[in-house]
Amino acid sequence: MNIHEYQAKQVFAKYGVPIPKGIMVESVDAAVEAAKELGGPIWVVKAQIHAGGRGLGGGVKLAKTLDEVRELADEILGMTLVTHQTTAEGKLVQKLYIEDGADIKDELYLSVVLDRKLEMPLIMASTEGGMNIEDVAEKTPEKIITVPVDPAIGFQGFHGRELAFGLGITDKAEQKKIISFAQKLFKLYMENDAEMIEINPLVKTGSGDFLALDGKMGFDNSALGRHPDIAAMRDLSEEDADEVEAAKYGLSYVALDGEIGCMVNGAGLAMGTMDTINYMGGTPANFLDVGGSANAETVAKGFEIILKNPKVKAIFVNIFGGIVRCDRIANGIIEATKITDVNVPVIVRLDGTNAPEAAQILKNANIANLIVGDDLGDGAAKAVAAAKQA
Amino acid sequence: MSILVNKDTKVIVQGFTGKEGTFHAEQCLAYGTKIVGGVTPNKGGQEHLGKPVFNTVAEAVKTTGATVSMIFVPPAFVGDAVMEAAEAGIELAVIITEGAPVKDMQMAKAYATKHGMKTLGPNCPGIITAEECKIGIMPGSIFKKGNVGLISKSGTLTYEGANQVCNEGFGITTAIGIGGDPIIGLSYNQILPMFEADPDTHAIVMIGEIGGDLEIQAAKLIKEQITKPVVAFIAGQTAPKGKTMGHAGAIVSGSAGTAKEKMEALEAAGVKVVVSPAEIGKAIAEVLGK
Ligand SMILES: Nc1ncnc2c1ncn2[C@@H]1O[C@H](COP(=O)(O)OP(=O)(O)OP(=O)(O)O)[C@@H](O)[C@H]1O
Ligand SMILES: [Mg+2]
């Protein structure tokens, strides 16, 4: 789960990670009020969306007067921001963060992320903050300092010194500040089961202080149960409505551009099914994993969600039963045809646990539009053919 | 022969008396797996599925001589359960549970490694040596005995792959689902050499997915160490680009983790890469020359 910059900064503040003062607002008037409260003399008006690259996309702007704050708030609020991390359609800006303008001397980069190879968190830092850090990593990898921290020992002094010296910080007072900054950040990473924290830029101000000007945070979904305060920060409006609806029924759904709706058990087989459709000259309309506890109700819901997409010309149900029992899926399909008007051909391939029972159930039900696929290849070929005929 | 487990392997179940644990332990027993007992705190002394229940793993190991544990405890308790197994001298923990916090797995795996305990999973279908020993949740009936080893991140693709191999008239030595979580136990690079060393395994099916770079590492190892034919499929060629925020993840892995990148690396390592999982069976028939 990802959170907004303003929320990440709330978490930073709780742990004593220094940030500029700022206020989240949802209207232009509130933006001006917030600016008055902050006092100025410079403000930054920042679009709050779950994506990076807002600055380049025109979602982060500097204001020198209250009138400018009003103008910029009016311009950015309600705009659709397209950045390299959003889709081509972009994201609607519904919230703004009004922040004190910082006196920037140097822009650094600092992040904490899981290193899957080392199987422990990794702190990354660079003197090349502010710009596109992936370019830095590619062109001048020596400018990225990496410090793995074994959670069994936690953040030690030597970790901090590696960072400070690596960043070329020679002033002792500044060394102390950056080490304390990183130590607090690591602590909040561990204590909140964060998946990723990225601060770009982390700035050094004219007075030699370090401030987090940006804050991106993502969390391990599996651990949200023990962090109700973090879980409460979820912003559903940042997520796809169909995906959220599907998740309520234990379905994992992602819409795509093609014509063949897919309903599959297991993420791997679901992707494999899409790949097979593509390989046979068709186009998948969605990714849909019905999960391990699929039953008649969830299958019916799956059909409903798939059929909402007007582009769908055929549906391929591909189940390899392990924990999922094929007879239940078969009943789900029959149920679904009663509840929803399934007006496209449905190609069904059921294999694995209780597959013979399922075949019998489907045969007895005698549903029009239903085509049986013998195996993955056969099912996919029939689905592609059916979509082409439609 | 086979790798890691066989008909003599003694297995206990952590989370034995729960709904999932019970259902699958029963299936494993029916398959022929030597389940010698289980662990559920405060139910020690009882009997379940005709096997003794213990309060602790240490007690279970001492009494039964079990070397493998199949773990079904709820997600929040997985880390604890794995560490308990390691401490008690279990040699391999097969973690079926889905949704264990990543931080817990970091700690637990480091602890397991320190104690010399291997782990599989979490969030995996388990391991099966055909017609001998099933430790996990896969439908046992599709795994016919034969000479193909199988490793897969995805559970259902494990079934799909094994089913095709068997439908072509071949069979499986051992099939292993390694799981796709950020922190997993045994992976391609530990398991591939085991198949290489197993005289009964003549070919290997490797099934991967987009994300991470385990398959790229495997390609390197295959080039250097594996002489047996390998057939690979990477799921997710048509998957939409994942939603990203921030750049740290991509920088640390040093790769975008795309299917294309992985398929090319494997091909360059001499692996027979198929574009659709529907081609796995045929590809095995080709490399085994029948
Ligand atoms: N409080 C502030 N005071 C002064 N300048 C700021 C402030 N906040 C942001 N900026 C400037 O705006 C730029 C863009 O802001 P920020 O990094 O928060 O958004 P972003 O474009 O989404 O980030 P990224 O490109 O890392 O995804 C910063 O690099 C910084 O130069
Ligand atoms: Mg930034």
Side-chain angles (χ1 to χ4, degrees), chain A residues 46 52-55 60 130-131 198-201 213-216, chain B residues 247:
Chain A
K46 307 182 81 174
R54 297 165 302 165
V60 178
M131 44 206 300
E198 186 173 62
I199 302 177
N200 188 23
L213 281 208
D214 191 6
K216 302 199 192 316
Chain B
H247 308 272

Side-chain angles (χ1 to χ4, degrees), chain A residues 264-274 318-320 349 376, chain B residues 154 156-157 160 235 277:
Chain A
V264 189
N265 67 319
L269 188 59
M271 286 193 283
T273 303
M274 288 155 43
N318 182 25
I319 304 291
F320 208 116
R349 179 266 179 141
L376 170 58
Chain B
S154 145
T156 39
L157 281 175
E160 181 66 50

